[in-house]
Amino acid sequence: MALNVARVEAAGRVVWAVDSPHGLHRLFGDYPTTRAFFEQGGPDDAARAVTEGEAVIADRIMSPVTQDAQFICQATNYASHVKEVGGDPAVIVNNVIFTKAASCIVPADADIIRPPHVRLLDYEIELGLVLKRGFTGPEIITEATLANWIGGLVIVNDVTARDVQISHMQFNKSKSYRTFGPTGPWLVLPTAAELARWSELELVLAVEGEERQRSQAGDMIFKPAETLAELSCIMDLAPGDLIATGTPGGVALRPPSPTVQAIAGFLSPARRFAMFMKGQLKRPQYLRDGQVITASIRTPDGAIDLGQQQNRVRSVN
């Protein structure tokens, strides 16, 4: 059975705990980072603590991914999302990879702080993969060997300032503001058989109780094993690093109509952006101050359950 592990604040300290039939049990080891958790035997410690660990009462559940991790992301990786932004999944040949600043990682119940200049604040529920083993060169990674590399699963909300994304023509800045990466609450440690069910995981996000996104992870275009193998040919990754695997359809962003895009082609960049903003500001789906976002990921039978996030949007005071 998958173990659900959390970093919790209890009695003024941050410790690791595992969910058990009798509540949270504290792990025996102290792991200052997610990387240390995997490198120093945290999963074995968690399995033992289920029955032998000391009960602990959490004052707050922290992000199970610490801010020293690399935060790697995939864009336009769900067929439903590609379609809603005007693309054709059948012609997608490139796995779009970008990074978010790890300083945006916050707990699953943290407020999302909207910067004062951001008017188009969007949500993106994503399945996060946490490495238990890193690489420093090309590796052959397949579905059959995926469990050798992936140690944990988490919920990620890839919060995005769409007006910054479009006007600056980049992902990193628009997605890296502090608090733009709620992660957790659980770090789910699946068995190899459970990890093989990743495509069954259902991602659901709602705003003020209104469902906006619902999709199974199997709608991904570039699957986890393929993505990990490609990343190994590009960069070094370490235990504890986080990969957010893209979002399904249902986000607030919508591209202008083909007619509007044709007209915009004759305008200056400033005029094109003004036209984009005029259209997007009419969409009520963008997040507003005070709204609460809930996000969950689980298999339909509940055997693998990553928990639920709940985040309130607010402006800088």
Side-chain angles (χ1 to χ4, degrees), residues 237-293:
L237 289 177
D241 286 345
L242 173 62
I243 302 168
T245 53
T247 199
V251 300
L253 176 70
R254 287 295 184 277
S257 69
T259 300
V260 171
Q261 292 187 50
I263 295 172
F266 296 97
L267 302 176
S268 68
R271 291 285 302 278
R272 285 199 299 270
F273 181 65
M275 181 177 288
F276 166 81
M277 287 296 295
K278 182 178 180 180
Q280 296 300 299
L281 288 171
K282 295 177 182 178
R283 292 187 55 76
Q285 289 86 354
Y286 283 104
L287 296 168
R288 299 187 300 276
D289 291 356
Q291 289 186 320
V292 174
I293 310 161

Side-chain angles (χ1 to χ4, degrees), residues 113-134:
I113 310 301
R114 181 178 61 82
H117 61 281
V118 172
R119 303 176 70 188
L120 303 179
L121 189 64
D122 209 347
Y123 48 83
E124 294 188 9
I125 186 173
E126 308 203 7
L127 172 63
L129 311 175
V130 184
L131 295 185
K132 67 178 180 183
R133 176 183 172 191

Side-chain angles (χ1 to χ4, degrees), residues 185-259:
W186 297 115
L187 174 64
V188 176
L189 310 178
T191 64
E194 288 167 331
L195 183 59
R197 298 183 61 191
W198 68 266
S199 63
E200 301 174 40
L201 289 165
E202 190 167 52
L203 293 72
V204 181
L205 181 142
V207 179
E208 291 293 297
E210 176 192 2
E211 187 175 295
R212 301 285 184 84
Q213 295 182 279
R214 179 183 289 269
S215 175
Q216 287 194 316
D219 191 41
M220 287 185 201
I221 298 170
F222 298 97
K223 315 301 186 186
E226 179 182 2
T227 296
L228 277 183
E230 181 177 3
L231 286 172
S232 76
C233 297
I234 300 169
M235 62 192 301
D236 295 351
L237 289 177
D241 286 345
L242 173 62
I243 302 168
T245 53
T247 199
V251 300
L253 176 70
R254 287 295 184 277
S257 69
T259 300

Side-chain angles (χ1 to χ4, degrees), residues 159-178:
V159 181
T160 306
R162 296 295 186 193
D163 37 358
V164 176
Q165 177 186 334
I166 301 303
S167 63
H168 292 245
M169 298 294 289
Q170 60 171 289
F171 290 115
N172 183 274
K173 185 185 295 185
S174 64
K175 294 170 175 281
S176 289
Y177 291 96
R178 294 176 185 88

